[in-house]
Every structure is written in C-alpha cells, then in structure tokens.
C-alpha cells in the first residue's frame, strides 16, 4: 500500500484542470484520502502510494498545462489547523470542551480530560451527557442559545467525584443559528488555591498617582483624602472603568491602617457558594473538599485592615443578610462553625449599579445600604471631565510604552481634540486599551487623528433600559364558562402574560429574570411551563 503523502499543487485556473488531475490519479490507481482546494490558486491532496510511483505522479502533474508547482507537505491544511488548535487549547490553564448542535464532544483539551478523568480517544465523538453522566449546563446552551457564567457543578464520574466551575457560550453560524457551544472548566480546588493567594500587601497606589486636572476631580480626591483618615464605611459609585478600586487602594494607603492588609474581591466574579466560603471562611469538614484545619475567610484575613467589596450590587439577598450581620455585630462565623470571631475591618464597597432602584425593586436591602453608604463618593465618568483626557492620555502612553519597551509616542493636537470629542462609555479603561492598540500598530512617534480612525472602532452600544417599559395598560382577559376562574388560573395567566411581554423586548432569560426579580432558572422553567415561544 505504501506510505502516506501530501502534495500541494499550485496552478493557474482553467476549465477542466481539476478533471485532468483526478483522471491522472485514477490512471495510477491512486485513491484520494483527503483534498482541500483554494479556488484559482492551489489544491492539496493526500493519498497512499510507494516512493517510485510518487515521483512519477509528481512529474506527470508538473506536465499538466496550468500547474506551476508541485511540492511535498507534511500535513494537510486542516490537519495543520487542528494541530495548532490543539496546541492552543492545551496551553491554557482552564479546561475547554466544545460540542456540536447535537451535544457531541468535538474538542476537549488536556486540562479538561484531567478534570474529568478521561482519555482523548474515549471522549471525542461521544455525547456529553453520556460521557459525563449528567446534564451539563452547556447542553442547555445549545437549546436556549444563552451564555452562562461560573456555574458550580458537582458530580460523580465513575468512581471519581468532580467539582468545578463552568462558563459557556453558544457557537452561532452567519444566520445566528446555534451550531454548537464551548465551555471553560475550572477545577474547584484550583479556584480555591488562587483565592487563597490573595496578596496581603497592597500595591502602593496613592492619591498622587490619580491623574487629573479638572476642578470636579480635584474636589472628589480632596473628599476621599479627608474621609480616608477615619474608619467609616465608604461607598464608591461610578461607571465601569472609572477607577473605583484605585480610589479604594489610595484611601487605604492614606488611612491609619495603611500598614495592615488591603484585600479586594469582586462580588460578581464568583458564584454564591464560593463567595460565601471565601468571605466568611469554613471549618474543617464543613463540606466535601474543605481543606484540613479549615480556612480563614477574607474578613479574618483583612482584620485590622481594609476589605474592598467591588460590585456590591451583585450580592444575593442571602449574602446581603450575612454581610449586614457582620457589619452590625463586628463578628464573623465560619461556615460549619459555631464560634464567633471578632473582627475589626474597614469596609469600602463599590458599585456601578443604581442601588436606589434596586432597593425600590426589593433586590437590595435598605438597612444594608445605610450601613455601606455612610460616606458616598461618586467618581464622574470620563465624558463629564473631558479636560482630564489630554493629561490622562499622555500619562497612559508613557506607562504603556514603558511596559512594551517602545519609544514614547505623542498625540497630535488634532488627535487630542478628537479623543476629547468621544463619549468613552468604558471610561479610563477603554481609553487605555485604545492607546495600547495605537502604540502597537502606529509606526511613527506621533499618533494622528487618521491613525485613530484607521485602527479604532468607536461604535457606541446603547444601554438597554431593562427596568423600564413604555406607558401602556397591562391587561389580562379571561373567558368565563359559567363560572369564575380559580385564583391559581388567574395568577398563572397574569404570570404568563408578564413573562411573554418582557421576553418580547428582552430575548435573554437572564435579563428577563433580572427585570422581574427572579433567577434565570426560574424564567427558563416558566418558559417551559407556558410553552414559550408560543406555538
């Protein structure tokens, strides 16, 4: 049968060329294993034959009118792409799996195989539910088309118990149809190890490193410096990217506890169960996987120092109650424990959400709000202090050029004016990312307006008004068949009508759940119950 060979055939396109190539292979009694073609340029073929026949095939192919090159290759293009993809997937620290629209695994990297205790050959081509012995969140994604973030899953695969966090997104074709999904898998022990390495020594970020020249920002910084001397709780308000954590760090450095720990955690970055164990700690044996001897929570680790809770508006009602108790009592109780531990921690919180509206919607506790909002500090968005943009931009350029080991670049006066005219919905973070892109791609030492227009895309995403609806009457009609409907029938019909109406303008069940004050799972169950979309 011979060896396997791959030939890359370069040609000038003409009618009948492909037919002549296939006819030649047929004459030599060669059966193609694979073929890829790029219209009008080249064809790559894979086949079996012996070495002597290979040389004859190459000579005959070169004799065909229109073929200008025939070269041996190690791999088919698709094999090369697959090898590159496998290398990339295996290089990341998270597990990655992909499935097609039928739930069959198409890719699984080495990290995911280790987490699930699987071999590569036994995984690819099998249905995810059959392979992993349970209904994974990613299987719901190919049905609903919805992403999910950091879901906690614990299951038994054979004799092994696996405990992990997973996030997933759908894979869509050009028509927006779901043709598969990809999920990342984080081993729970790996997450706990990362969280246990919280740096107790804060970076020396002081108020002197906050760059500004506007009077508005000067007043904000002066206020923050003033209240930093005390111990009262501070609530930092502002859009994403305005630098709330930088203010929190500077307040800590300016405070009387600057030599003590500064610990920051994003309340939106972890699922509730993991966030609870990280904040409050746990005793040995509190749950499966708990480390021997138990573990201190972040409140205990930050004792005598500062605990910064970012995105406080993302806390569940249960977690809000636990946090409120800590603030009221000055003590914390570990999960699975019965001992109260005294703590002395200054709390700084931050949120980009409208907490007052959340209170009105009963999704944020008023008593907790009063505890956190002792000293409110609002950091204005970049568009409201445009006079700060020139000095911030050049400061960021200097920092980025130093990081990238490039010669410092400068903005022209026209480009500065153009940057000042933009709304910057992502604030300083967006400005920094934009400048880093320009520093990487602009060869000259000056960045012009033309450079910005060529390389940057400033499409403005309008914020969706999730909590508002147009003024209209909300009515539900019933057909009376000689008797009143039951109360359950009335409630179900109102619930169905309301859910249908919200889903008409907000196609995501997660957004609908946020608007109606229930979980994403509740909305999905209601959709199934009421047969949404209507058939």
């Amino acid at each position: 049968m011979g060896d396997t060979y791959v030939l890359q055939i370069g040609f000038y396109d003409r009618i009948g060329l492909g037919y002549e190539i296939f006819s030649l292979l047929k004459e030599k009694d060669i059966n193609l294993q694979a073929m890829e073609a790029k219209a009008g340029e080249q064809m790559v073929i894979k086949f079996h034959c012996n070495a002597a026949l290979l040389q004859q095939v190459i000579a005959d192919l070169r004799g065909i009118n229109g073929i200008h090159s025939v070269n041996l290759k190690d791999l088919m293009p698709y094999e090369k792409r697959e090898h590159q993809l496998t290398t990339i997937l295996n290089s990341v620290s998270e597990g990655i799996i992909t499935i097609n629209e039928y739930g069959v695994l198409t890719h699984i990297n080495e990290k995911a195989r280790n987490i699930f205790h699987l071999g590569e050959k036994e995984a690819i081509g099998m249905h995810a539910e059959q392979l992993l012995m349970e209904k994974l969140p990613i299987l719901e994604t190919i049905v609903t088309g919805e992403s999910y973030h950091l879901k906690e899953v614990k299951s038994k695969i054979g004799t092994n118990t696996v405990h992990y966090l997973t996030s997933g997104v759908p894979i869509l074709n050009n028509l927006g149809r779901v043709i598969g999904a990809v999920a990342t898998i984080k081993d729970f022990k790996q997450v706990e190890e990362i969280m246990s390495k919280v740096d107790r020594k804060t970076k020396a970020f002081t108020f002197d490193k906050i760059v500004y020249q506007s009077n508005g920002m000067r007043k904000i910084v002066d206020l923050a410096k003033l209240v930093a001397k005390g111990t009262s709780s501070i609530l930092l308000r502002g859009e994403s990217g305005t630098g709330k954590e930088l203010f929190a760090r500077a307040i800590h450095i300016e405070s009387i506890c600057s030599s003590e720990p500064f610990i920051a955690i994003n309340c939106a970055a972890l699922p509730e169960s993991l966030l609870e164990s990280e904040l409050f700690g746990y005793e040995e044996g509190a749950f499966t996987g708990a480390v021997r001897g138990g573990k201190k929570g972040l409140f205990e680790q930050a004792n005598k120092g500062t605990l910064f809770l970012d995105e406080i508006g993302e806390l569940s009602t249960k977690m809000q109650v636990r946090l409120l108790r800590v603030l009221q009592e000055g003590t914390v109780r570990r999960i699975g424990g019965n001992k109260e531990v005294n703590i002395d921690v200054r709390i700084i919180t931050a949120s980009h959400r409208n907490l007052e509206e959340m209170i009105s919607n009963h999704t944020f506790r008023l008593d907790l709000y009063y505890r956190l909002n002792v000293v409110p500090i609002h950091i204005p968005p970049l568009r409201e202090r445009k006079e700060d943009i020139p000095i911030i931009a050049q400061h960021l350029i200097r920092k980025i050029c130093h990081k990238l080991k490039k010669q410092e670049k400068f903005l022209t006066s026209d480009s500065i004016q153009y940057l000042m005219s933009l709304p910057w919905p992502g604030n300083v973070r967006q400005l920094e990312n934009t400048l880093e892109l320009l520093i990487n791609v602009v060869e000259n030492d000056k960045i012009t307006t033309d450079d910005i227009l060529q390389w940057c895309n400033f499409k403005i995403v309008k914020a969706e008004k999730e909590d508002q609806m147009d003024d209209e009457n909300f009515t539900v009609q019933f057909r009376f068949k000689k008797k009143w409907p039951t109360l359950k029938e009335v409630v179900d019909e109102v619930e169905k009508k309301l859910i249908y109406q919200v889903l008409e303008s907000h196609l995501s069940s997660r957004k609908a759940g946020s608007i109606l004050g229930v979980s994403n799972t509740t909305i999905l169950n209601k959709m199934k119950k009421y047969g949404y979309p209507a058939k």
Side-chain angles (χ1 to χ4, degrees), residues 197-264:
K197 294 176 182 177
V198 177
D199 188 4
R200 294 175 62 88
K201 294 183 180 179
T202 179
K203 298 175 183 176
F205 191 95
T206 65
F207 284 111
D208 293 337
K209 294 186 178 181
I210 297 178
V211 180
Y212 64 91
Q213 61 183 9
S214 63
N215 290 329
M217 273 299 288
R218 182 171 288 105
K219 291 178 181 178
I220 297 298
V221 171
D222 288 345
L223 172 62
K225 286 181 178 179
L226 179 64
V227 300
K229 306 296 183 183
T231 59
S232 299
S233 298
I234 297 173
L235 175 57
L236 300 171
R237 308 290 290 273
E239 297 176 3
S240 295
T242 50
K244 295 186 289 294
E245 182 169 345
L246 301 183
F247 264 81
R249 290 182 179 276
I251 289 170
H252 173 76
I253 290 295
E254 197 85 5
S255 71
I256 58 176
C257 59
S258 58
S259 61
E260 301 296 337
F262 173 92
I263 294 181

Side-chain angles (χ1 to χ4, degrees), residues 454-465:
Q454 178 183 355
W455 294 103
C456 303
N457 182 7
F458 291 109
K459 290 183 179 178
I460 303 170
V461 180
K462 293 183 178 179
E464 188 177 30
K465 295 181 179 179

Side-chain angles (χ1 to χ4, degrees), residues 55 130 339:
Q55 296 304 318
Q130 173 191 0
K339 178 184 175 183

Side-chain angles (χ1 to χ4, degrees), residues 28 74 106 160 163 168 170 206 345 348 356 385-386 411 432 473 512 531:
K28 306 293 185 185
D74 295 327
T106 55
N160 300 298
H163 191 188
T206 65
V345 177
I348 302 178
E356 292 75 18
R385 50 186 183 103
K386 293 188 175 183
L411 294 163
E432 182 172 4
N473 293 323

